[in-house]
Amino acid sequence: MAVTANVGSIFPVVWAGDRVQLIDQTRLPEQYELKDITTAAEMATAIRTMIVRGAPAIGVAAAFGMVLGAREYRGSDREGFLAHLENVASELRQTRPTAVNLFWAIDRMLGAAQQPTATLEELQQHLLETAQTIAREDVQTCQAIGENGLSVLPKTPEKLRLLTHCNAGALATAGYGTALGVVRAAWAAGRLERVYADETRPRLQGAKLTAWECVQEGIPVTLLADTMAAHCMQRGMIDAVVVGADRIALNGDTANKIGTYSVALAAKAHNIPFFVAAPLSTIDRKIATGAEIPIEERHPQEIYQVGFSRITPAGVDFYNPAFDVTPAYLISGIITELGVFAPADLAQGIGAVAG
Ligand SMILES: CSC[C@H]1O[C@H](OP(=O)(O)O)[C@H](O)[C@@H]1O
């Protein structure tokens, strides 16, 4: 796993001795604020309210939430400790249903607690070390995704114009990003002209977060309203699309931020490569197709309120799915830390390569 790129300086989830410090992503881009999280319940709230968001970042946050929860145990017996940890896991699992990284990280932390001879203190320390390993591995994974993504981007004489949707950047991971990891690698290699970022209603992660990350690092970025992607493709303004993922089925069907499916359809219509960039921890080996992926529905206020203004009259009904599923046939390649797989080769590829 090549780990050569400069990882930058955006780390949304950081352990700070006895607490977790989160970049409060609901305050960006106006305010850069760190929020101290000292209990598992506070971490669950932070995930649910999207102070921290993005599939890998949610997994890392949940892992540290398990650490905080383990430290809250006041008993002295192992059985009681493990029962307490299961309760913490249950609370964290109920925060958001779609990003499989949440469940992957919680399961990995519960596995780390199964040490029959360790004292409770040793278990708590081992849980902290496991969460820190998950975070460190995620940054390295994103760097490898960036390098692997660079190898499959169109080989054009001109610099590339990449479109992305939502935020799959450093803020959505432990650092560096997945889709924006590919963007960072292309920028570092001198192969990127600019990023076209979909604003991504209703939470506007593209306008607020992807644009912010690009500006922080001097990467040229053009913000698009969500209605503009197809037009830009028709006008020959886009060379490739790279997006993140929240859950990938074994056939390559991919759940990602609502609107991704529309972008993929437009890319197909214009014969533009459409890539999903995601770590193996986003692949759900328990499901065969995207039909099995639970789609989170969030509060209608995210739709009817922009800033502090309500944009609809009373008496309107709402539907607010936070994700949609892009079928495998629309995906040119799935970029992982172990390589780039055509959807049809994914199940065998990760099985064979992961060993
Ligand atoms: C690197 S995966 C990021 C992924 O998560 C985002 O969803 P949310 O902001 O609701 O957590 C979006 O689907 C991104 O592509």
Side-chain angles (χ1 to χ4, degrees), residues 35-286:
K35 188 168 184 64
D36 281 353
I37 303 295
T38 59
T39 68
E42 286 174 3
M43 185 60 84
T45 300
I47 294 170
R48 190 179 295 111
T49 59
M50 296 175 68
I51 286 171
V52 58
R53 36 63 54 196
I58 288 173
V60 172
F64 282 112
M66 294 286 282
V67 173
L68 293 171
R71 293 179 167 211
E72 293 162 15
Y73 182 61
R74 291 292 171 264
S76 56
D77 66 304
R78 159 190 302 283
E79 269 185 39
F81 175 74
L82 293 177
H84 169 77
L85 211 53
E86 277 291 351
N87 290 337
V88 173
S90 174
E91 181 177 11
L92 290 165
R93 285 195 189 101
Q94 291 172 50
T95 53
R96 297 187 73 188
T98 304
V100 71
N101 306 65
L102 173 74
F103 308 97
W104 169 85
I106 291 168
D107 288 346
R108 183 166 168 182
M109 294 298 287
L110 288 173
Q114 308 306 319
Q115 299 209 342
T117 60
T119 65
L120 293 192
E121 218 170 55
E122 287 167 341
L123 281 179
Q124 289 167 340
Q125 180 57 27
H126 181 55
L127 285 169
L128 173 58
E129 290 164 1
T130 303
Q132 290 171 321
T133 299
I134 290 172
R136 184 173 59 254
E137 287 176 350
D138 189 66
V139 175
Q140 293 170 346
T141 292
C142 287
Q143 291 177 293
I145 287 169
E147 293 303 312
N148 291 337
L150 190 56
S151 69
V152 292
L153 291 176
K155 306 286 188 290
T156 56
E158 304 302 319
K159 292 186 176 183
L160 291 164
R161 299 145 314 157
L162 300 180
L163 183 140
T164 193
H165 189 74
C166 197
N167 172 260
L171 290 168
T173 63
Y176 198 72
T178 54
L180 289 195
V182 176
V183 163
R184 287 185 165 95
W187 179 247
R191 290 191 51 205
L192 180 73
E193 178 186 308
R194 72 176 40 251
V195 174
Y196 286 86
D198 285 350
E199 64 178 351
T200 316
R201 268 190 56 79
R203 291 295 297 250
L204 301 173
Q205 291 93 325
K208 293 171 176 262
L209 306 179
T210 293
W212 180 80
E213 287 197 37
C214 290
V215 167
Q216 291 297 308
E217 296 178 15
I219 298 173
V221 55
T222 298
L223 186 71
L224 300 177
D226 292 330
T227 48
M228 297 176 183
H231 167 79
C232 293
M233 294 176 188
Q234 186 184 53
R235 289 289 181 94
M237 296 165 61
I238 310 296
D239 297 306
V241 178
V242 188
V243 299
D246 291 83
R247 192 182 301 221
I248 302 172
L250 284 178
N251 73 339
D253 291 349
T254 295
N256 196 51
K257 184 52 51 191
I258 189 74
T260 302
Y261 176 35
S262 307
V263 171
L265 286 168
K268 191 74 172 181
H270 293 281
N271 198 27
I272 291 171
F274 179 93
F275 293 106
V276 170
L280 297 188
S281 55
T282 303
I283 299 170
D284 185 346
R285 297 163 187 254
K286 299 187 188 117

Side-chain angles (χ1 to χ4, degrees), residues 3-20:
V3 180
T4 54
N6 168 9
V7 297
S9 61
I10 301 171
F11 302 102
V13 185
V14 174
W15 179 256
D18 61 351
R19 67 196 61 205
V20 183

